[in-house]
């Protein structure tokens, strides 16, 4: 029984966790919440607009009084990607996001809260099904249905606004992408009704990708351009990536050739991603070998010498990167990164032990394993810069061995976002 004033947001959010609801009158509403749905109940409390009194119906459990996070605290939990997360900030809501493509979609800088709402609601569909399960769980499908309905309603109401925030030259493409989002959200309604996981996954991925594409267009057209902050003057001589770039690498192994695709995120690590893009552009990694392959990382040998670049971290809730200091050195050990080492194939930039700003021309792939590395904040987060993710054929990284050679690295999109200096 949840009581207290102005319960609308709480009521709407908690319904997804409930098998039964009943209006008791007088501002009191009763909910029957299954014991395994406590996570969704906690997520609802996170969005409650006022204090909540909860009377536990089981006689052995005392009533509790909960004060949800303040508006300021909620804002702090949103960070630059705008996704309201649990205190661990390891994903979306209380769900851990381990997919590099999804992490990149959510990390697109926000220029419109409604566009973010469509993205977040769409992402939640697959996160719910993958992490709570879907077989024999009609309440999960019900929650997904509500996510899609909300996403579709917001998209319908604000689609023209989204297009208006895209550069004129890209507006026709944005309209096509948004039409695709709308079509796939309509398809999701049916696949969710049918409880068809594979079809739901396909439509969700298509809708989420197209929505992120439009949000990225909006970010590039924001006042001030792709970066809403100024990189410190002391780094003016270094290359920088103003946005994103996609890189393909062909690696020659003893078993044959493997091609992996990676997205470098210059929105949040412009100097590290810019240095990496510049190394690829100049052929610095062509012919370079894998130095070693361990349980958690595959490190590439040093490419051609380049100027050193600093440790570059973008904390959730911040408006610009910080440089040179790890979270422990900066007194921010509990803070998390917008780009976490939380996906198989996350890209990390190496630096000598004890020299945070000594990185130059060496990177590694992170072989994320939740059984070995906790999500949200692990020893790699903040000790090294995560500057992007492997988006295609990440499974190949498991097969890389010391002595395998990068035959060719190429920027296949976003090369125009690379600037040689300030």
């Amino acid at each position: 029984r949840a009581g207290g004033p102005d319960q609308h947001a709480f009521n709407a959010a908690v319904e997804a966790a409930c098998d039964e609801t009943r209006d008791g009158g007088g501002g009191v509403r009763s909910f029957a919440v299954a014991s395994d749905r406590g996570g969704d109940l906690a997520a609802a409390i996170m969005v409650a607009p006022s204090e909540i009194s909860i009377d536990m119906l089981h006689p052995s459990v005392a009533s509790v009084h909960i004060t949800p996070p303040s508006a300021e605290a909620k804002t702090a939990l949103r960070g630059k990607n705008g996704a309201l997360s649990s205190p661990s900030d390891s994903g979306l809501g209380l769900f851990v996001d381990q997919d590099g493509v999804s992490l990149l979609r959510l990390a697109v800088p926000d220029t419109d809260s409604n566009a973010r709402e469509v993205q977040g609601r769409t992402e939640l569909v697959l996160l719910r099904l993958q992490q709570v399960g879907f077989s024999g769980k009609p309440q999960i499908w019900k929650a997904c249905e509500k996510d899609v309905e909300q996403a579709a309603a917001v998209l319908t109401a604000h689609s023209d606004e989204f297009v208006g925030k895209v550069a004129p030259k890209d507006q026709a493409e944005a309209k096509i992408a948004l039409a695709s989002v709308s079509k796939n959200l309509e398809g999701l309604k049916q696949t969710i009704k049918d409880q068809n996981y594979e079809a739901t996954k396909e439509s969700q991925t298509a809708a989420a990708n197209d929505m992120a594409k439009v949000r990225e267009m909006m970010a590039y057209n924001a006042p001030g351009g792709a970066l809403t902050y100024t990189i410190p003057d002391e780094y003016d001589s270094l290359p920088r990536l103003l946005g994103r770039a996609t890189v393909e690498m062909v690696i020659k192994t003893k078993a044959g050739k493997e091609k992996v695709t990676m997205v470098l995120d210059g929105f949040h690590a412009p100097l590290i991603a810019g240095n990496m893009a510049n190394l690829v552009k100049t052929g610095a990694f062509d012919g370079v070998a894998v130095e070693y392959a361990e349980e958690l990382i595959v490190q590439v040998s040093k490419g051609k010498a380049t100027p050193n670049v600093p440790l570059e971290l973008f904390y959730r809730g911040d408006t610009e990167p910080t440089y040179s200091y790890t979270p422990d050195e900066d007194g921010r050990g509990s803070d998390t990164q917008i780009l976490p080492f939380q996906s198989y194939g996350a890209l990390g930039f190496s630096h000598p032990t004890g020299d945070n700003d000594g990185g130059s021309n060496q990177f590694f792939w992170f072989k994320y394993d939740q059984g070995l590395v906790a999500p949200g904040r692990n020893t790699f987060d903040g000790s090294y810069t995560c500057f992007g993710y492997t988006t295609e054929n990440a499974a190949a990284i498991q097969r890389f061995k010391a002595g395998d050679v990068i035959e060719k690295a190429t920027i296949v999109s976003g090369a125009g976002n690379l600037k040689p200096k300030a």
Side-chain angles (χ1 to χ4, degrees):
R1 187 168 67 91
D6 193 18
Q7 298 302 304
H8 302 297
F10 176 79
N11 292 343
V14 81
E15 282 179 356
C18 299
D19 297 319
E20 180 182 345
T21 65
R22 181 169 57 84
D23 191 347
V28 177
R29 194 167 186 180
S30 299
F31 303 89
V33 184
S35 60
D36 64 348
R37 303 306 304 287
D40 281 343
L41 178 60
I45 291 171
M46 289 288 290
V47 299
S50 58
E51 293 184 344
I52 300 294
S53 296
I54 300 181
D55 295 336
M56 303 301 184
L57 299 184
H58 195 286
S60 65
V61 183
S63 298
V64 295
H65 187 74
I66 300 172
T67 301
S70 65
E72 292 77 12
K74 290 178 183 178
T75 299
L77 285 173
R78 288 186 181 275
K80 194 64 178 175
N81 76 346
L84 182 61
S85 301
S86 64
S88 68
D89 252 343
S90 57
L92 184 63
L94 298 180
F95 299 100
V96 176
D97 197 341
Q98 303 175 48
D99 181 75
V101 177
S102 178
L103 287 167
L104 285 166
R105 292 192 298 245
L106 287 169
V108 173
D110 287 317
T111 59
D112 187 287
S113 61
N114 290 309
R116 180 190 63 216
E117 176 76 4
V118 176
Q119 189 79 61
R121 290 285 180 177
T122 305
E123 301 290 347
L124 275 173
V125 171
L126 203 55
L127 288 171
R128 289 185 193 278
L129 296 175
Q130 290 178 335
Q131 295 182 33
V132 181
F134 51 87
S135 179
K137 295 188 176 182
Q139 72 274 22
I140 297 300
W141 290 101
K142 178 183 176 182
C144 292
E145 183 179 8
K146 291 182 178 181
D147 287 330
V148 172
E149 288 175 350
Q150 179 66 16
V154 175
L155 178 65
T156 299
H158 300 282
S159 185
D160 288 344
E161 297 172 21
F162 302 161
V163 173
K165 292 186 176 182
V166 171
K169 65 181 180 63
D170 296 324
Q171 288 184 356
E173 185 178 2
K175 289 180 180 179
I176 293 172
L178 290 172
S180 177
V181 175
S182 179
K183 178 180 178 181
N184 280 293
L185 288 177
E186 287 302 312
L188 273 173
K189 293 178 182 179
Q190 185 60 51
T191 63
I192 289 171
K193 182 179 180 180
D194 296 339
Q195 296 187 17
N196 185 329
Y197 174 73
E198 291 299 331
T200 295
K201 181 179 179 180
E202 181 178 352
S203 293
Q204 185 274 345
T205 300
N209 282 339
D210 280 328
M211 193 65 220
K213 179 180 180 180
V214 174
R215 290 176 59 238
E216 195 165 319
M217 291 179 183
M218 295 163 69
Y220 283 119
N221 194 50
L227 303 190
T228 58
Y229 52 87
T230 301
I231 299 173
D233 295 345
E234 62 189 287
Y235 305 126
D236 280 355
S237 63
L238 297 178
R240 65 272 328 274
L241 185 65
L242 307 183
R244 289 178 174 170
T246 302
V247 170
E248 286 183 356
M249 281 190 176
V250 177
I251 293 87
K252 187 176 182 181
T253 72
K254 292 181 179 179
K257 294 182 180 181
E258 299 274 11
K259 183 171 73 173
V260 295
T261 302
M262 305 170 290
V263 173
L264 317 183
D265 189 345
F267 287 125
H268 301 103
L271 297 183
I272 297 291
N275 184 67
M276 182 69 179
N278 190 58
L279 288 166
V280 171
K281 180 182 177 180
T282 58
F285 286 119
D286 296 350
V288 173
V290 171
E291 184 175 14
Y292 57 83
E294 297 182 345
E295 188 173 38
L296 286 176
I297 69 172
V298 174
Q299 176 138 312
V300 174
S301 300
K302 293 181 180 180
K304 297 176 183 177
T306 60
N308 289 354
V309 289
L311 178 69
E312 187 173 38
L313 305 176
F314 209 127
Y315 294 92
R316 291 179 183 269
D318 284 5
T319 57
E320 61 186 7
T322 62
Y323 294 92
S324 302
Y325 296 100
T326 68
D328 291 337
E329 294 167 343
D330 200 18
R332 304 188 66 172
S334 62
D335 292 349
T336 54
Q337 308 295 317
I338 289 180
L339 301 177
F341 283 101
Q342 194 174 284
S343 175
Y344 200 94
L347 304 174
F349 202 72
S350 305
H351 58 74
T353 302
D355 186 2
N356 297 338
D357 294 349
S360 171
N361 52 2
Q362 196 169 27
F363 78 98
F364 61 88
W365 285 285
F366 186 63
K367 299 193 290 185
Y368 178 74
D369 182 342
Q370 190 171 343
L372 300 174
V373 181
R377 175 72 172 92
N378 59 60
T379 55
F380 284 82
D381 289 315
S383 296
Y384 301 92
T385 299
C386 178
F387 61 95
Y389 298 96
T390 304
T391 56
E392 293 181 28
N393 200 24
I397 297 168
Q398 179 65 36
R399 300 187 286 273
F400 293 167
K401 307 293 182 184
D404 292 346
V405 176
I406 298 174
E407 190 173 85
K408 184 68 177 177
T410 309
I411 299 177
V412 295
S413 68
N417 296 329
L418 174 62
K419 308 301 177 185
K421 58 183 180 179

